[in-house]
Each structure stands twice: as structure tokens, then as C-alpha cells.
Amino acid sequence: MNPSLMFQLQITDAEGNRRTIPLPATTSIGRQEGNDLLLDDQRVSRRHAKIECSEELCHITDLGSSNGTTVDGERLHANVPVAFAPGTVAEIGGFELALTAVPVPEPVREAEVPAAPEEPEETPKAAEPPPPEPPSAAPPAYVPDDMVPPGLTLESRRLLTYLPGIYQTSFMARFLGIFEAILTPIEWNIDNFDLYLDPGTAPMDFVPWLASWFDVAFDPSWTEAQRRSLLSEAHDIYARRGTKWALGRTIEICTGHTPVIIDADPDTEPFTFKVVLPKTARSLDREMVERLVDAHKPAHTLYTLDYER
């Protein structure tokens, strides 16, 4: 039978400072107060990831974070647990998390004490009734850890501190925990709503709503990085919409290739310009490129799309 393991996490920040913490059964990781492991970095989401450990192995799960979690250089899929073995290094923001394990020592057996010599029997006395036992408090109901949302607890951590000491009891902590579990997520959203309005930090499910501000329709072939980059520059592009720079920059972001736009060729018809892409762009979907040009060119102009020869 394999001995049980005690897992530890070695945390290294961007400046090289290190610290080691023991890992319980479940460890929530994030930038928001209330997580088991706080990582103070803007690239770390409020609820970024969690580590779950049994007696023999650990798993790490990315909780749909904005900037993702990598394990040994590979980015994790959101909400998919991945084995986290000793010696493996995870990267979250500017932090490196290295897992180590040590065997749990077996408990030391107490030495057997020799039995005391028997004493001569005495005349038995009348048995006295035992004193009544004090009533014991009923054990608290068991609540599994995975039923408690990350960042929250079954007992109040903040609201209880506003009460006088005489009222800071175990019952009141559990009672106020109900209201704290309702109000705390609302406060998190309000305090960090600016992150929802930034294309670089907004959750991916929130990005289409930001795109609706500019009436941008994403093409299914665009990557997450291309969509966020287009939204982060949309205010500049739309301020100069209809110009050579705005059209060229839009094509460059959405295709990864820098076009050459010729609008002063004497051999072309009036109000006609050329869009020339490098020959490496032949693998692109031509209809997608044409939709981009049609959406960002001046309405009264015509164009031709070609590739470098």
C-alpha cells in the first residue's frame, strides 16, 4: 500500500521571491479577497483557478480566467481538471506555482505499559448510580467543500466584525454568513466592473457585448486575441473610418497580414483603389477579406483585391 502524501506549493513571484504553503483538500486561487491563495497581479482574475488534492494526487482547474493558466507551457481549457503532479510548474499571471510532495510519517506507536500487579480484592460496596451526563450539542451538519462557492465560507468573515463582542458567537457567524454570501459577489462585480469594460480583461462571454457598441460582427475564424485587439483599437479605427490607415489596420488585425492600399494609381478608374496582400495570405478566406473591405471602405468607392506576385 502506498503511503499518503502531503502536498506543498512553492510560489515564486516575478521578482524571484519564494514562499511555500501546505495544500488542503481544495485551494482557491485569485486576486479577490476571500480566496485561499491571493495573487496580487492584474493579470490574475478574481476567481482564477483551483487546486484539489486527495491523499495520492492533485488536479488543477482553470475557472474561465481572462489570461488563462498554463501547466508546463500548455494552456488549460476552462473548467477542465488536469493532473497536477509533483515537479510540475503552473503559471498564473506573473507567478510560478511548483508542486512538491512529501510522505506523511506514520504515527509512532506508544510503548506498551506493563500491567500493574493485581491488588487483593476488597469487599464490594453497594453500586452508586452514575451522575447524569450533561446534554451534548448536536454536531453541525456536514457541507461538502465543493458546495461552497470559491471566495465564500459558511461563516461570516466581515459582517460579524461590525457587532459588539458579546454578539460575535458561532450562531451569529453562521446567520450573517447567509447575507454575506448574497452581498459579497454583488460587491465584487461593482468594485471590479471596470475590468468588464476593458477588452483586455473582460470575460470572453462579455466580449460580444462590447463589440455591439461598435456594431462589430466577429468572423468565426478570428482568434480570441484578434477579437480583443480589434476592440481595443476600435475607437481609433472608427474615428478615422473610411481612410487608408483605418482600412489597412483593420485588415492587419483580423488577418495577421499587412496590406498595401493603392489609391492614387493613374491606370485605375476614378474612385477605385487596390488592396494588395502578401502572397503568404493566399490561404485566407477571400470572402472574409472582402467583407472586411466592404464594411470599412468609403461607400462610393470600388476596389480590386490581389496578391503580391
Side-chain angles (χ1 to χ4, degrees):
M1 181 177 179
N2 296 329
S4 299
L5 298 176
M6 179 174 63
F7 294 99
Q8 296 177 333
L9 196 63
Q10 185 182 75
I11 306 159
T12 307
D13 60 18
E15 298 177 356
N17 301 317
R18 293 183 179 178
R19 57 190 173 106
T20 302
I21 62 171
L23 286 179
T26 302
T27 303
S28 60
I29 305 172
R31 192 181 73 254
Q32 180 72 45
E33 285 288 343
N35 287 288
D36 301 317
L37 176 57
L38 292 178
L39 300 180
D40 188 10
D41 191 326
Q42 288 298 320
R43 291 169 292 177
V44 180
S45 298
R46 292 173 293 113
R47 292 179 54 248
H48 197 105
K50 68 177 179 178
I51 299 176
E52 299 172 300
C53 294
S54 63
E55 294 183 354
E56 298 180 353
L57 75 162
C58 290
H59 288 83
I60 184 170
T61 306
D62 182 86
L63 301 177
S65 61
S66 298
N67 295 304
T69 304
T70 61
V71 175
D72 287 345
E74 294 187 7
R75 180 160 179 164
L76 305 184
H77 296 286
N79 300 310
V80 178
V82 174
F84 194 33
T88 305
V89 177
E91 294 185 5
I92 296 178
F95 294 84
E96 292 186 354
L97 311 180
L99 184 68
T100 60
V102 294
V104 178
E106 296 184 359
V108 180
R109 297 182 179 178
E110 298 181 357
E112 297 183 359
V113 180
E118 297 182 359
E119 298 181 355
E121 297 182 359
E122 297 181 355
T123 304
K125 298 180 180 180
E128 297 180 359
E133 296 182 358
S136 58
Y142 171 72
V143 179
D145 292 337
D146 56 1
M147 293 183 63
V148 181
L152 300 178
T153 61
L154 296 177
E155 297 184 353
S156 172
R157 291 182 175 179
R158 181 170 54 87
L159 297 181
L160 190 67
T161 60
Y162 293 101
L163 297 180
I166 190 174
Y167 296 113
Q168 296 186 12
T169 62
S170 176
F171 166 77
M172 189 59 69
R174 295 195 302 273
F175 178 73
L176 292 179
I178 300 172
F179 302 96
E180 194 164 307
I182 297 172
L183 298 176
T184 300
I186 299 175
E187 294 175 354
W188 289 344
N189 287 338
I190 295 174
D191 293 342
N192 299 282
F193 191 69
D194 59 304
L195 300 178
Y196 285 79
L197 304 180
D198 186 345
T201 56
M204 195 56 202
D205 294 339
F206 209 74
V207 169
W209 182 74
L210 294 179
S212 67
W213 292 11
F214 300 97
D215 194 24
V216 173
F218 291 138
D219 189 86
S221 63
W222 297 350
T223 65
E224 177 182 340
Q226 288 173 321
R227 300 182 185 194
R228 293 183 184 274
S229 180
L230 180 60
L231 288 181
S232 64
E233 298 187 36
H235 61 288
D236 285 334
I237 293 174
Y238 274 64
R240 300 165 65 178
R241 193 170 190 180
T243 65
K244 182 192 299 187
W245 177 87
L247 176 59
R249 182 58 183 150
T250 303
I251 297 175
E252 182 179 1
I253 293 174
C254 299
T255 66
H257 299 277
T258 303
V260 176
I261 299 177
I262 305 172
D263 60 348
D265 188 350
D267 296 333
T268 59
E269 296 292 330
F271 306 109
T272 303
F273 63 92
K274 295 180 180 179
V275 178
V276 181
L277 289 171
K279 59 184 178 181
T280 54
R282 291 182 181 274
S283 59
L284 294 174
D285 182 0
R286 185 182 181 91
E287 292 184 359
M288 182 269 291
V289 180
E290 291 176 346
R291 286 195 299 269
L292 277 178
V293 179
D294 290 335
H296 294 273
K297 73 177 182 65
H300 66 282
T301 60
L302 302 174
Y303 70 93
T304 60
L305 178 61
D306 201 355
Y307 301 92
E308 291 179 353
R309 303 184 184 280

